[in-house]
Amino acid sequence: MPDLVRLIGKRLLFGLLTLFAVSVLVFIGTELLPGDLAEVILGQTATPEAVAAIRAKLNLGDPAVLRYWRWFSGVLVGDFGNSLASGRPITTVLLPRLQATLFLAATAAVIAVPLAIALGLLSALWRDRTFDKTTSAATLAAISMPEFFIGYLLVYVFAVQLGWFPAISRISPSANFGQKLWAIALPALTLTLVTTGHMMRMTRAAVVQVLSAPYIEMAELKGTPRRAIIFRHALPNAIGPIANVVVLNLAFLVVGVILVEVVFVYPGMGQLMVDAVSKRDIPLIQACAIVFAITYVGLNMLADIVSILANPRLRHPR
Amino acid sequence: MLLQIENLRIDGTDVDGNSVEIVKNVSLEVDRGQVLGLIGESGAGKSTIGLAALGYVRPGCHFAGGSVRLDGQELVGAPVGQLLDIRGRRVAYVAQSAAAAFNPAHRLLDQICEVHRRHGLGPRAAAERFAVELFGKLGLPDPERFGQRYPHQVSGGQLQRAMTVMALITKPDLVVFDEPTTALDVTTQIEVLAAMRRAIREQGAAALYVTHDLAVVAQMADRILVLRHGAAVELGETRQILEQPREDYTKALVSVRRGEHERHGGHERSVVLAVDRVDAAYGAQQVLFDVSLRVERAATVAVVGESGSGKSTLARVITGLLPPRSGQVRFGGEVLSNDLAGRSKEQRRRLQLIYQMPDVAVNPRQTVQEIIGRPLTFYLGMRGDALRRRVKDLLARIELPAHFADRFPGELSGGQKQRISIARALAAEPELIICDEVTSALDPLVADEILNLLLRLQEESGLSYLFITHDLATVRAIAHEVVVMQRGRVVDSGAKDEVMAPPFHDYTGKLIRSVPEMRTDWLDEVLAGRA
């Protein structure tokens, strides 16, 4: 057991180190690029007075290390500073957007992950039969199409033609849970279509890979029905790779949804970051980047830990 | 009759999708309480027949004809439900590698009791009690708690016994043992064999025992069926097969396995190669003086000596590349012409050579298919599909995947190239292979694999080797007899155990003492001894 704890501890430590490295890169990428940051922020409207005001506001006269430390220590306690565009604390700008993104991502994940794993297992169970081939073709088609295209297609069919769901996913603050779900139905469906194929195909591949192991033949020779072979003998040994692909897609649901948010005019993190970039709101860009990094690194760390826990050799050392 | 297999034919498909006959018209019967041994080389179809007793064929194979009946019930083409009912309950299977055949994700006891549960044989507690009882009977440590472990937590020998428990938990009528001890050490093998034999006798179960090792099957079986290339060669009582084999192939198998014992007993064995009083020279310089040696069938003679001792020259004389000044070389009773040109194609076929440097011994512009295929066409007149199939067989024998046929030597490692050289020599179906320092250009681990491959091929096919080497560890590992050469003369020869043990011949002793040992003060000691 100490082995296991050490392994997981190591993963956590590496995750934190990665985040630290990312924070450095984000800082360098946004503040230390060549040229005068204040002029960059102001763009063409830069007057000497405005530039001086921005320089003073951002303490650009201080050495980079000091500025980094000031920013990083703030990040550690959840203080990202104030938005340049609105002057409001970034946390208050960011939190509702993050909530919206997580709500959409969670909704899509709740549909996509079980669906993908179930389809993958059934495809492995009925390998090379009609079900397998149909699913494979359908999911391949879904992942081959760009997500904005799928989004517009769904809008055309379900919003314009059928009128079942709204084409624009505005959520009013007073909406209840059901209304919220109704509002995000189409973006959630888009994301489901985009991610299910990938997860389903990897699940199928992982299980099929395990199915060639000698212990599967042994299970058959013990008189184990095919269904039990897939679920009892193959699935537990395929959890590592499945967890990895699931996590990769979960991460995509959070950090890769910008296009879908734009299509459905959904007020999520992606939109926020795009807006921040166009307004040259450097502190807000940094905050978004850090949130995305935390999501990505955290989820991947989770996949590593699941893989470790799924390995009986590590769970039960000799 | 419990198990009755009649005219069984099983076909498979190779990598290219061609149909291959794996089992050809094999019939056999096993009655209750009987043990039938299935013996043969790899590719003999013995495992396939063993699996057929469970109505099972591996993916890519199918029943092409004949019948498999268990208590009169036909298994070939039986509905899945019926097969599921029989497998594990009435016919159980013990796989070759228990380490691979146990699911790493579940505890041993859960996997063992799973059979019981699937077949609805009663409460789990009863199954557990019986499993614990069997653990004890098979000599597993701490039977009460043994089943709580995961497969990776116990040793290979213990796993193999646990797998026997898994087979016996349902009290089956028939157990198929598929090379169950091949993956074990020799010492562990004995215990496992004894435990398995006791267990099946106590249950009164019948068994099919699949193995390539006659000595093992002799301990287990009442009768033995000898198989080759998927067809039955000979069926008989175990004693008869061992003592009065009728077919040539069986005789060869028996004599290979007897190998060492007969030599110790001083029996006369058939001599494949005899070199008689050979003198040889390059121009004016004589390099071989009065050299004689003998190689018996299925034996390995190692020629050892330092560089310049004339051992490679000896190989050239034997192969006809260098005509000797005097003396003669006899092969299988015939006197070989001194000159290569005077030897018949058949004589050349029976004697093959593997070289020291695999890098230069294969043509880099030919594919593996062409390299191995050449002797097949030249000596055996093979072409087309038959040729491709045989090349695949040969690749399988040297443990390389079939798709290697289309590779060029440049894409292979040193060890793989040496395997290709071995396959090229094997292709001619020789009786004797001269191995000229075949491992000295390889990494130690790769070299060891090559030696093991050569040993296995000898065990399977009764090949003889003349092994030219300077490495005494190699000699210890593979030789039956040793010939020590120094400056063109044979200075010492005899059985390995005599030559390589005290009292040593002067020169042999010096060679042996010169091999560095795995301790730091070795050199000091040697030097002190000399002073």
Side-chain angles (χ1 to χ4, degrees):
Chain A
M1 212 34 106
D3 264 7
L4 200 60
V5 171
R6 219 186 50 220
L7 266 171
I8 293 176
K10 224 160 133 186
R11 284 285 179 285
L12 290 172
L13 189 68
F14 274 127
L16 292 176
L17 279 176
T18 313
L19 282 176
F20 173 71
V22 168
S23 78
V24 172
L25 285 175
V26 165
F27 188 78
I28 291 175
T30 49
E31 294 213 6
L32 295 182
L33 290 176
D36 189 292
L37 184 64
E39 286 177 17
V40 169
I41 292 171
L42 290 168
Q44 306 220 321
T45 63
T47 59
E49 298 77 39
V51 167
I54 291 276
R55 291 186 67 89
K57 193 173 173 188
L58 295 177
N59 298 314
L60 288 183
D62 294 344
V65 175
L66 185 63
R67 273 157 49 213
Y68 171 75
W69 176 245
R70 219 179 273 139
W71 173 72
F72 184 68
S73 54
V75 169
L76 283 184
V77 296
D79 175 14
F80 289 95
N82 292 337
S83 160
L84 288 181
S86 64
R88 291 161 57 208
I90 284 177
T91 354
T92 57
V93 178
L94 196 107
L95 270 183
R97 296 299 198 102
L98 180 60
Q99 274 172 5
T101 290
L102 289 180
F103 178 58
L104 175 58
T107 308
V110 163
I111 306 169
V113 173
L115 179 70
I117 292 180
L119 287 178
L121 288 175
L122 290 175
S123 294
L125 178 62
W126 295 315
R127 186 155 35 132
D128 296 333
R129 301 223 222 128
T130 319
F131 176 86
D132 181 22
K133 286 177 182 157
T134 320
T135 323
S136 174
T139 53
L140 190 62
I143 40 180
S144 305
M145 283 187 278
E147 59 240 51
F148 65 84
F149 179 72
I150 295 184
Y152 283 129
L153 203 65
L154 293 179
V155 167
Y156 177 73
V157 175
F158 292 102
V160 178
Q161 293 294 322
L162 298 171
W164 293 356
F165 300 109
I168 290 177
S169 305
R170 283 280 179 211
I171 298 179
S172 77
S174 60
N176 64 28
F177 185 68
Q179 287 166 327
K180 282 185 186 172
L181 275 186
W182 181 71
I184 63 160
L186 289 186
L189 188 56
T190 309
L191 290 174
T192 301
L193 286 176
V194 172
T195 52
T196 301
H198 191 205
M199 289 190 284
M200 170 262 155
R201 295 170 78 82
M202 285 300 288
T203 302
R204 178 187 180 278
V207 171
V208 165
Q209 165 79 31
V210 172
L211 284 181
S212 63
Y215 54 80
I216 297 296
E217 180 178 272
M218 188 68 225
E220 283 189 62
L221 294 172
K222 276 154 69 174
T224 314
R226 187 135 179 89
R227 211 161 18 102
I229 286 180
I230 298 275
F231 286 97
R232 189 181 144 78
H233 288 277
L235 184 56
N237 292 291
I239 282 181
I242 293 177
N244 266 303
V245 67
V246 165
V247 156
L248 206 64
N249 280 281
L250 290 182
F252 169 81
L253 286 177
V254 176
V255 308
V257 293
I258 295 179
L259 283 175
V260 175
E261 289 183 2
V262 170
V263 168
F264 293 96
V265 203
Y266 185 71
M269 285 280 294
Q271 283 264 19
L272 182 66
M273 192 166 181
V274 172
D275 292 347
V277 169
S278 62
K279 289 178 188 157
R280 301 193 180 83
D281 193 343
I282 299 290
L284 187 54
I285 298 175
Q286 289 170 337
C288 289
I290 291 293
V291 168
F292 285 154
I294 291 174
T295 312
Y296 215 89
V297 173
L299 283 171
N300 275 293
M301 213 157 60
L302 185 70
D304 282 354
I305 292 171
V306 168
S307 301
I308 290 171
L309 289 176
N311 185 341
R313 283 166 198 276
L314 294 172
R315 224 169 349 125
H316 307 277
R318 295 190 80 118
Chain B
M1 197 53 66
L2 178 64
L3 176 73
Q4 198 162 19
I5 293 181
E6 270 176 10
N7 300 324
L8 180 66
R9 288 192 292 120
I10 296 176
D11 288 356
T13 15
D14 64 12
V15 192
D16 295 342
N18 302 320
S19 182
V20 207
E21 288 185 299
I22 296 172
V23 176
K24 303 163 188 164
N25 272 320
V26 171
S27 302
L28 60 87
E29 290 182 336
V30 185
D31 216 340
R32 280 174 202 286
Q34 270 191 355
V35 179
L36 174 68
L38 297 181
I39 188 152
E41 305 167 7
S42 51
K46 50 196 194 303
S47 290
T48 310
I49 296 173
L51 288 169
L54 295 103
Y56 180 85
V57 281
R58 292 225 157 102
C61 304
H62 62 273
F63 288 111
S67 78
V68 177
R69 283 197 297 276
L70 187 73
D71 266 338
Q73 183 187 359
E74 180 63 57
L75 300 187
V76 175
V80 177
Q82 198 178 327
L83 290 175
L84 287 183
D85 178 50
I86 282 169
R87 291 176 191 161
R89 185 175 69 87
R90 299 209 50 208
V91 189
Y93 180 74
V94 177
Q96 174 169 4
S97 167
F102 270 112
N103 191 325
H106 301 295
R107 295 178 195 277
L108 291 172
L109 193 62
D110 291 341
Q111 301 193 45
I112 290 167
C113 292
E114 183 189 5
V115 208
H116 207 264
R117 179 165 59 84
R118 295 253 175 252
H119 294 288
L121 296 175
R124 157 118 184 181
E128 282 187 16
R129 271 200 308 280
F130 189 38
V132 169
E133 185 190 328
L134 286 171
F135 287 150
K137 279 190 181 159
L138 282 152
L140 287 165
D142 195 3
E144 289 292 336
R145 267 174 299 168
F146 180 81
Q148 295 308 315
R149 312 227 206 141
Y150 282 84
H152 68 272
Q153 292 174 312
V154 307
S155 73
Q158 289 171 354
L159 265 188
Q160 205 69 51
R161 278 177 274 184
M163 177 152 288
T164 308
V165 171
M166 185 156 79
L168 295 178
I169 191 85
T170 57
K171 299 189 178 150
D173 299 317
L174 177 70
V175 184
V176 177
F177 291 96
D178 192 355
E179 304 247 16
T181 61
T182 309
L184 304 178
D185 292 337
V186 201
T187 45
T188 321
Q189 166 172 301
I190 298 169
E191 290 170 32
V192 174
L193 278 180
M196 288 190 309
R197 187 169 65 179
R198 213 176 325 118
I200 56 172
R201 278 189 186 158
E202 269 179 30
Q203 286 202 0
L208 272 181
Y209 198 98
V210 174
T211 177
H212 69 278
D213 190 341
L214 258 179
V216 165
V217 82
Q219 317 308 313
M220 304 293 292
D222 305 307
R223 289 177 306 139
I224 293 175
L225 175 63
V226 183
L227 294 158
R228 189 183 196 196
H229 300 323
V233 174
E234 183 170 359
L235 172 69
E237 301 288 320
T238 301
R239 190 169 290 270
Q240 177 253 309
I241 295 282
L242 294 181
E243 291 171 5
Q244 289 130 15
R246 283 189 291 266
E247 300 296 324
D248 286 345
Y249 179 67
T250 316
K251 283 177 192 158
L253 279 183
V254 171
S255 71
V256 171
R257 195 58 185 85
R258 294 233 155 166
E260 297 202 351
H261 304 288
E262 279 195 12
R263 246 189 305 281
H264 289 308
H267 288 281
E268 195 58 26
R269 292 158 50 87
S270 69
V271 172
V272 177
L273 173 78
V275 175
D276 274 342
R277 313 202 60 146
V278 161
D279 286 354
Y282 292 116
Q285 185 170 7
Q286 190 169 355
V287 284
L288 289 183
F289 302 86
D290 199 18
V291 171
S292 299
L293 64 80
R294 241 150 254 283
V295 182
E296 290 171 345
R297 193 165 299 285
T300 300
V301 174
V303 178
V304 256
E306 298 165 279
S307 53
S309 59
K311 45 193 202 304
S312 291
T313 308
L314 178 61
R316 292 173 62 86
V317 169
I318 294 168
T319 50
L321 293 172
L322 178 70
R325 259 192 206 163
S326 64
Q328 64 177 20
V329 176
R330 280 180 292 132
F331 193 83
E334 303 170 31
V335 176
L336 293 182
S337 158
N338 282 347
D339 193 350
L340 191 58
R343 297 186 184 182
S344 71
K345 204 178 194 178
E346 180 63 11
Q347 285 171 336
R348 293 188 219 175
R349 180 188 67 73
R350 293 157 68 191
L351 175 65
Q352 294 291 316
L353 190 59
I354 306 173
Y355 300 87
Q356 177 174 5
M357 306 289 281
D359 290 343
V360 294
V362 290
N363 187 335
R365 296 205 169 269
Q366 289 184 338
T367 61
V368 168
Q369 168 74 38
E370 291 172 83
I371 293 167
I372 303 180
R374 167 74 185 149
L376 290 172
T377 309
F378 181 74
Y379 288 120
L380 307 172
M382 285 190 172
R383 280 186 171 66
D385 278 351
L387 178 68
R388 280 202 76 83
R389 270 203 301 279
R390 179 62 68 85
V391 169
K392 269 186 205 117
D393 289 350
L394 284 164
L395 284 173
R397 288 189 73 188
I398 56 163
E399 295 155 1
L400 289 181
H403 62 80
F404 269 55
D406 298 314
R407 299 209 176 166
F408 286 94
E411 302 169 76
L412 307 178
S413 70
Q416 287 169 342
K417 271 182 256 188
Q418 195 59 292
R419 282 172 192 265
I420 298 301
S421 307
I422 293 172
R424 175 172 60 185
L426 282 179
E429 300 181 357
E431 288 161 46
L432 175 79
I433 298 182
I434 298 177
C435 305
D436 189 357
E437 299 270 21
V438 288
T439 55
S440 59
L442 303 173
D443 291 336
L445 287 176
V446 180
D448 194 49
E449 286 170 23
I450 294 289
L451 288 184
N452 285 332
L453 172 65
L454 289 169
L455 283 175
R456 203 198 76 217
L457 293 170
Q458 180 172 61
E459 210 180 327
E460 284 176 355
S461 321
L463 278 170
S464 306
Y465 296 130
L466 184 69
F467 222 96
I468 292 170
T469 182
H470 66 276
D471 178 14
L472 289 164
T474 308
V475 175
R476 283 216 171 83
I478 62 144
H480 300 114
E481 296 198 45
V482 181
V483 172
V484 183
M485 290 186 68
Q486 184 187 20
R487 281 184 238 115
R489 290 170 210 275
V490 173
V491 293
D492 192 5
S493 67
K496 172 180 68 180
D497 296 344
E498 290 161 29
V499 173
M500 306 277 286
F504 298 118
H505 175 275
D506 284 354
Y507 180 69
T508 314
K510 184 177 161 223
L511 277 182
I512 288 175
R513 280 190 299 276
S514 308
V515 178
E517 290 174 26
M518 296 264 274
R519 41 196 179 83
T520 45
D521 51 357
W522 172 78
L523 186 61
D524 294 338
E525 279 182 29
V526 172
L527 294 176
R530 284 191 187 162

